Amino acid sequence: MSQSLEGVKVLELGSLIAGPFAGRLMAEFGADVIKVEPPKKGDPLRDWRHIYEGTSLWWRLQSRNKKSITVDLKSNEGQEIIKSLVKECDVVIENFRPGTLEKWNLGYEELSSINPGLVMVRVSGYGQTGPYRDKPGFGSIGESMGGLRHLTGHPDLPPTRVGISLGDSLAAMYSVIGAMMAIYHRDVKGTGKGQVVDVALYEAVFSLMEGSLPEFDKLGAVRERTGSSLPGIAPSNTYQCRDGKYIVIGGNGDAIFKRLMNVIGRADLAEDERFQKNSGRADHADFLDEVIEDWTRTMDFEHALEKLDEARVPAGPIYSIEDIVKDEHYLSRDMIQDYQLNEEESLKIPGVVPKMSETPGGTKWLGPELGQHTEEVMKSWLSYDREKIQKLKEQGII
C-alpha cells in the first residue's frame, strides 16, 4: 500500500525538537527525509532523557524512518554538499536561530536560486522578522510568551509547565501544515514556485488561546489559572472517587448536563431553570462541582465510570504511560506497537496519527545511527564515487 508523501524529498537541518518533529511527521507518511547532523557529535537529542545501549530512546522514536548523514555545515565543502542536495529536494526544514543559515551561505535566497521550487520551513522562537528575531527561543519560552503557562496550574500557585514539549510540537505541526500548503500551491495550482514557511514557537502557542484576545479587547477579561476546571464552561472538572482515584467528567452540554444530573440522583437540578444553559451553569460552577463530587465520593472509579458510560456522559480516567500500554482501546487502534530494536529485543513505540484509509503511515525503521546513511545518500542523490566520499571523510567534512 502506498503512502501519501511518497516521492517527497525532505532535507532536515535542525536539531532537538521542533524541526526534527516536523521531519518525523513527514517521514511517517513516506517522505524521504534526510537528516543532516554534525560529524562526530550528532543531534543533541541522541543524548537526552533515558539512554538505552548508548542512545536516547526518544531519539529512536523522533528519528524513525529518517536517514542520517553527517555534514559540516560550517565548512565551504559541506555547504556545497547541501546545495547539491537541495537541487533534489522539495522541502528543507531548519530550526536554527534566524540568520544562521545566511551566515553559512545557505539562506533561502541562496538555495531558491538553485531550486526555485524549494519550500523552506523555518522554525524559530520568535520568527524570521521582528525585534525579538535574534533572541534564542525554546519551546518553554514560546509556551510562556504565547499565553499558555499563564493559564496552566492552580490560581494560588506559580504557573507550571504541561509536562511535555508542547510548544515545540505545536510549531512542528504548523510546519508540516505550512509545507503541505506550499507544495499544494506549487504543484497542484501549477505555479512551480516554492516559498518560505515561517513558524514561530510563541505564535504556534498563541494560536490556541481560543477567545482570549477578543474577550480582553471588548470586555477587559483576562483569563487566569483555574486548576482542573474549565472556566466559563460548566460543569467540567476532575472529581475524586471513593477509592482515591480521579475521574474527569465533561457535563457541559445542555442535554448532557441533564443526563448527568439524572444519573447522580439530582433530577431536580436537571430541570432547574438556572441550569438550562451554559451561562447559568457557569455562574454556579462551584456549586455544581460540589454536587457532582458528593456523588463520585460514594463509589469507586470503575463503578462511577460504568454509570456515566451508561448515561452517555463523557467521562474518563487520568492515565499514566503504564495505564496507556494496558488499555484495550489503544491496543485495538494499533497505537501501541512493538518494533524490532535489535536481534534480541523489541521496543514499544506509538502508532502513527492520523489514521488514513488509503495511504496510511507507518514505521520502516527506528532512529538510525549517526551517519548511517551518509554513503548511501552521497551515491544515490549526488552520484559521488567511493574515492570522493573517502576524501570528504578524511577531511572531516562528512
Side-chain angles (χ1 to χ4, degrees):
M1 188 175 286
S2 64
Q3 292 186 293
S4 53
L5 295 183
E6 278 183 11
V8 175
K9 292 186 174 182
V10 179
L11 197 63
E12 181 191 301
L13 303 182
S15 63
L16 294 176
I17 305 175
F21 187 40
R24 168 191 157 183
L25 296 173
M26 298 183 76
E28 288 174 344
F29 285 92
D32 193 358
V33 178
I34 306 300
K35 180 170 182 60
V36 180
E37 302 182 74
K40 298 182 181 178
K41 296 187 296 184
D43 189 323
L45 192 71
R46 289 179 175 274
D47 195 41
W48 273 29
R49 305 280 303 173
H50 294 282
I51 310 300
Y52 187 76
E53 294 186 344
T55 303
S56 163
L57 291 168
W58 187 1
W59 164 265
R60 295 298 187 195
L61 172 62
Q62 183 84 314
S63 296
R64 65 175 166 188
N65 296 357
K66 299 179 188 178
K67 295 177 180 178
S68 169
I69 69 172
T70 55
V71 179
D72 180 5
L73 299 182
K74 298 179 182 179
S75 69
N76 291 332
E77 295 89 346
Q79 291 159 16
E80 290 305 312
I81 290 172
I82 297 302
K83 290 175 183 177
S84 297
L85 290 170
V86 161
K87 294 177 184 177
E88 308 296 320
C89 278
D90 294 286
V91 180
V92 168
I93 301 172
E94 68 98 0
N95 64 336
F96 297 104
R97 197 181 304 183
T100 300
L101 285 188
E102 282 73 12
K103 183 175 64 177
W104 295 339
N105 303 307
L106 296 173
Y108 182 70
E109 187 174 338
E110 182 86 20
L111 298 184
S112 63
S113 68
I114 299 169
N115 180 355
L118 181 69
V119 174
M120 179 177 261
V121 176
R122 316 198 73 170
V123 190
S124 61
Y126 303 96
Q128 301 298 310
T129 61
Y132 299 163
R133 73 180 290 271
D134 295 323
K135 294 179 65 172
F138 264 36
S140 56
I141 312 304
E143 292 164 20
S144 302
M145 288 191 62
L148 178 63
R149 293 210 180 184
H150 183 77
L151 304 179
T152 308
H154 292 272
D156 55 339
L157 295 172
T160 185
R161 73 187 303 270
V162 177
I164 56 170
S165 305
L166 185 60
D168 289 294
S169 300
L170 286 170
M173 291 176 184
Y174 276 117
S175 296
V176 175
I177 293 169
M180 294 299 96
M181 289 191 289
I183 289 174
Y184 182 90
H185 177 75
R186 184 193 70 189
D187 295 348
V188 179
K189 290 196 169 182
T191 66
K193 185 173 175 56
Q195 59 183 295
V196 173
V197 179
D198 180 1
V199 180
L201 293 173
Y202 84 97
E203 290 170 358
V205 174
F206 179 61
S207 71
L208 300 190
M209 289 298 101
E210 299 176 346
S212 295
L213 180 57
E215 290 164 1
F216 172 74
D217 181 45
K218 291 303 179 188
L219 303 175
V222 178
R223 197 179 295 190
E224 302 287 352
R225 293 186 295 285
T226 56
S228 60
S229 67
L230 191 58
I233 303 171
S236 182
N237 213 327
T238 301
Y239 307 92
Q240 191 169 29
C241 296
R242 183 172 59 188
D243 54 5
K245 295 181 180 180
Y246 288 91
I247 187 168
V248 176
I249 301 174
N252 43 284
D254 293 346
I256 295 172
F257 173 76
K258 289 188 175 185
R259 296 200 297 271
L260 173 58
M261 291 299 104
N262 284 320
V263 80
I264 70 173
R266 294 302 304 265
D268 58 316
L269 298 181
E271 302 305 325
D272 193 312
E273 282 297 321
R274 295 173 297 171
F275 306 137
Q276 297 307 297
K277 294 189 177 298
N278 178 71
S279 55
R281 295 193 297 271
D283 289 340
H284 300 85
D286 290 343
F287 166 72
L288 293 174
D289 283 340
E290 289 178 13
V291 169
I292 295 166
E293 192 158 75
D294 284 344
W295 177 77
T296 60
R297 284 183 178 275
T298 66
M299 61 188 70
D300 292 344
F301 168 82
E302 292 294 344
H303 189 202
L305 182 60
E306 181 182 351
K307 291 285 188 183
L308 292 166
D309 283 347
E310 288 174 357
R312 293 179 294 114
V313 174
I318 297 176
Y319 273 174
S320 69
I321 192 64
E322 185 177 5
D323 299 316
I324 286 172
V325 298
K326 300 173 185 175
D327 184 88
E328 62 180 358
H329 193 79
Y330 270 87
L331 295 171
S332 72
R333 296 269 298 171
D334 201 27
M335 284 307 298
I336 310 296
Q337 300 179 350
D338 285 293
Y339 199 88
Q340 203 66 30
L341 178 63
N342 51 46
E343 290 184 4
E344 295 83 26
E345 299 175 287
S346 64
L347 182 69
K348 288 192 185 302
I349 56 172
V352 173
V353 178
K355 308 293 184 189
M356 298 184 70
S357 62
E358 298 300 320
T359 55
T363 302
K364 298 176 182 176
W365 61 81
L366 298 178
E369 302 304 321
L370 179 61
Q372 181 177 332
H373 302 95
T374 301
E375 288 194 31
E376 174 191 329
V377 172
M378 297 298 171
K379 289 177 180 177
S380 63
W381 282 40
L382 305 181
S383 300
Y384 285 5
D385 58 29
R386 185 169 296 177
E387 184 179 344
K388 184 168 186 176
I389 293 171
Q390 184 59 36
K391 185 176 180 181
L392 290 168
K393 284 183 178 179
E394 291 171 358
Q395 294 173 324
I397 306 302
I398 61 175

